[in-house]
């Protein structure tokens, strides 16, 4: 944390946009308070930028793009490495800001958010350098595949993994020669501001990366609809994704949507019980269950249901919830009071739907954090596979348990949702693990692990979980236009 820069709670720090290599005030006079989820206290104000600010950012991105796109891959990879080095030097700042801004435990902010943000830049720098030219020979001709920049990209990110997800988009986008306008979540703008400081400090050419703060309707919507934006990479809720897709469609913008999930963890009787309990708890409750990949439905084979349930509930009860800045904390606060209300309403709904609360449910308040957004990790059993709590995305620390008696039944329950992002299978039989994985209607499945990411692998979902893939060469493909040049031989 940089106390001078971000001030204290009584004197909130006012954030600025970053446009054309300068930190600039927004054109309107509207602001939103940035609240600490753990305490409800205000510690910064985020500008609610207008369409005019969006116009300014898109214009400088457009202006900067030809020169940036003309640099060699090696030169752009060099810039990504310089950003990675500078971010790494602010590792502790990233972790503490992210923990304070999102309410997540500091240990998680270090191990996941800070670490991955640095790695994303470094990884894409390496991948760019490894790119090999694609050439297809014909009898009388040679086809050269050329990857050109798309142009100006709008990068819109949510509140659950703020810098992690922003860096996942910025690095490949600028690496492929695009210039970008970032629109981070208005709920968690702090580390996006830090990234702009880093980008400024390393001297990245002006206009390559720009940022406009603001909410969805006033800032995000005009950015997506902007006539000079060529591509949109969006991570957020499925309902917002529908609006983004509708707005981008008339001008045929390139579009990547990473949306919600309702993922199943499928537990077979031949699993390694200890490793499975701890893996499934982690999948259910990491970041207070606010990760689109979280396994919020746990399907357990009949013969071990009671044994697994008891050990699972015991492990959930032993998680330490509280002060996000405490190294020992496992679970922090939910992002906002509105989100807490939404998650709590699902717990009430579960009771009406016949669910039995095994643990959690009540917001657990401590005097120090009484104005924060707290909820104890919650486990519910007895819900039918068609109940709303079993098929809708709750996006909080709420896991439902279900029984199954055959592979077919497990797959049918897992697929019984509009979402299709991820899943995990826990079994001693790896052939079965692979077989079940292939039957799941999702973009990603883990066997005997969860959120184990190789950044070269594709990331994305099917059904209402999104459109397109990012990750590794899929990101490089999305953030570029492949052009074929066919040359006839003499
Ligand atoms: O996300 P939004 P919210 C899910 C989760 C959560 C729900 C809503 O279920 O309860 O989505 O969360 C910007 N045009 N996920 O409301 O609204 C917005 O400002 C352009 C899953 O916070 O989708 C923010 O920057 N942009 C998700 C970003 O979109 C718009 C993570 C995401 O906000 C816009 C977060 C518009 N019309 C929530 N409206 C995941 N996949 O991990 C909003 N935005």
């Amino acid at each position: 944390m940089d106390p001078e820069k971000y001030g204290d709670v009584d004197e909130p720090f006012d954030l600025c946009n970053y446009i054309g290599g300068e930190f600039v005030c927004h054109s309107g006079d509207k602001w939103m308070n940035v609240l600490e989820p753990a305490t409800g206290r205000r510690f910064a104000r985020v500008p609610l930028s207008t369409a005019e600010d969006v116009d300014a950012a898109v214009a400088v991105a457009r202006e900067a793009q030809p020169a940036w796109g003309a640099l060699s891959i090696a030169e752009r990879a060099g810039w990504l490495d310089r950003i990675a080095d500078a971010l790494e030097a602010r590792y502790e700042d990233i972790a503490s800001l992210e923990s304070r801004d999102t309410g997540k435990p500091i240990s998680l902010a270090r191990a996941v958010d800070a670490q991955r943000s640095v790695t994303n830049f470094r990884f894409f720098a390496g991948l760019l350098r490894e790119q090999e030219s694609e050439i297809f020979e014909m009898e009388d001709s040679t086809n050269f595949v050329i990857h050109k920049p798309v142009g100006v990209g709008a990068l819109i990110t949510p509140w659950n993994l703020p810098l992690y997800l922003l860096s996942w988009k910025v690095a490949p986008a600028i690496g492929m020669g695009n210039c970008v306008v970032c629109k981070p979540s208005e709920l968690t703008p702090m580390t996006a501001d830090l990234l702009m400081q880093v980008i400024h400090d390393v001297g990245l050419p002006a206009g390559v990366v720009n940022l406009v703060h603001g909410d969805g309707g006033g800032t995000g919507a005009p950015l997506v609809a902007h006539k000079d934006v060529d591509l949109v990479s969006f991570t957020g809720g499925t309902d917002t994704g529908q609006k983004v897709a509708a707005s981008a469609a008339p001008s045929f913008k390139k579009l990547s949507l990473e949306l919600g999930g309702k993922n199943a963890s499928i537990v077979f009787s031949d699993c390694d019980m200890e490793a499975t309990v701890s893996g499934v708890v982690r999948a259910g409750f990491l970041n207070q269950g606010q990760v689109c990949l979280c396994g919020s439905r746990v399907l357990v084979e009949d013969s071990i249901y009671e044994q697994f349930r008891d050990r699972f509930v015991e492990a959930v009860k032993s998680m330490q919830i509280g002060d996000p800045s405490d190294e020992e904390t496992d679970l922090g606060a939910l992002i906002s009071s509105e989100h807490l209300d939404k998650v709590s309403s699902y717990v009430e709904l579960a009771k009406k739907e016949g669910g039995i609360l095994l643990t959690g449910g009540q917001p657990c308040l401590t005097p120090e954090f009484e104005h924060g957004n707290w909820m104890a990790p919650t486990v519910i059993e007895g819900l039918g596979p068609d109940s709303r709590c079993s098929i809708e995305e709750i996006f909080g620390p709420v896991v439902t348990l279900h029984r199954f008696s055959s592979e077919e039944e497990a797959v049918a329950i897992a697929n019984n949702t509009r979402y299709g992002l991820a899943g995990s299978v826990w079994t001693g039989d790896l052939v079965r693990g692979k077989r079940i994985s292939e039957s799941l209607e999702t973009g990603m499945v883990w066997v005997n692990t969860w959120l184990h990411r190789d950044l070269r692998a594709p990331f994305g979902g099917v059904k209402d979980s999104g459109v397109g893939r990012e990750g590794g060469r899929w990101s490089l493909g999305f953030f570029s236009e492949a052009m074929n040049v066919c040359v006839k031989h003499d």
Side-chain angles (χ1 to χ4, degrees), residues 185-470:
S185 169
E186 60 276 32
L187 299 178
T188 55
M190 304 307 286
T191 49
D193 178 66
L194 183 148
L195 177 63
M196 296 307 116
Q197 290 172 39
V198 161
I199 278 172
H200 191 74
D201 292 348
V202 301
L204 190 75
V208 174
V209 175
N210 307 277
L211 179 144
V212 280
H213 287 291
D215 60 14
T219 314
L223 178 60
V224 172
H226 202 289
K227 64 175 177 31
D228 271 340
V229 164
D230 305 295
L231 75 78
V232 179
S233 173
F234 171 86
T235 303
T238 292
D239 294 347
T240 316
Q242 283 173 340
K243 289 186 202 154
V244 167
S247 167
S251 49
F252 305 106
K253 294 180 166 85
K254 254 191 131 173
L255 189 62
S256 166
L257 300 172
E258 304 285 353
L259 309 175
K262 184 73 179 178
N263 315 295
S265 304
I266 305 177
V267 179
F268 284 94
S269 56
D270 61 355
C271 70
D272 172 337
M273 181 63 81
E274 203 176 322
T276 301
V277 168
S278 95
V280 174
V281 168
R282 178 171 168 266
F285 295 100
L286 191 89
N287 205 31
Q288 297 74 249
Q290 301 169 128
V291 180
C292 51
L293 304 166
C294 273
S296 52
R297 295 181 294 161
V298 181
L299 320 185
V300 188
E301 193 164 9
D302 246 343
S303 57
I304 58 157
Y305 181 85
E306 279 78 14
Q307 186 196 0
F308 179 87
R309 175 195 64 195
D310 294 348
R311 291 187 62 170
F312 182 75
V313 170
E314 191 189 330
V316 170
K317 282 181 173 165
S318 74
M319 280 192 289
Q320 189 166 319
I321 177 167
D323 186 353
S325 67
D326 184 335
E327 307 279 340
E328 301 301 313
T329 295
D330 299 311
L331 284 179
L334 301 198
I335 187 66
S336 65
S337 58
E338 291 79 12
H339 192 56
L340 174 62
D341 289 345
K342 174 188 152 184
V343 175
S344 305
S345 75
Y346 270 104
V347 177
E348 290 312 308
L349 176 65
K351 290 183 200 158
K352 288 190 196 122
E353 288 185 315
I356 299 161
L357 213 63
L358 299 175
T359 184
Q362 298 301 315
C364 71
L365 301 175
T366 58
E368 195 190 349
F369 298 109
E370 64 180 327
H371 299 299
N373 317 312
W374 295 93
M375 176 173 240
T378 300
V379 182
I380 299 166
E381 71 170 355
L383 287 168
D386 290 326
S387 67
R388 281 185 54 202
C389 292
S390 310
I391 58 177
E392 294 180 13
E393 186 184 40
I394 300 175
F395 216 65
V398 179
V399 165
T400 58
L401 298 182
H402 308 263
R403 289 171 183 269
F404 69 85
S405 53
S406 66
E407 285 187 10
E408 293 71 26
E409 192 186 9
V411 170
I413 298 173
N415 288 339
N416 182 35
T417 168
R418 67 191 280 226
Y419 298 104
L421 191 57
S424 63
V425 183
W426 303 81
T427 174
D429 178 350
L430 297 185
V431 175
R432 167 155 71 184
K434 189 147 180 295
R435 184 170 62 236
I436 300 287
S437 301
E438 288 171 6
S439 321
L440 295 180
E441 296 163 356
T442 65
M444 295 160 281
V445 186
W446 285 279
V447 178
N448 295 330
T449 183
W450 177 78
L451 196 45
H452 193 48
R453 284 281 298 143
D454 182 328
L455 301 188
R456 294 168 300 182
F459 184 99
V462 300
K463 293 158 71 174
D464 287 3
S465 288
V467 173
R469 294 289 178 276
E470 293 187 23

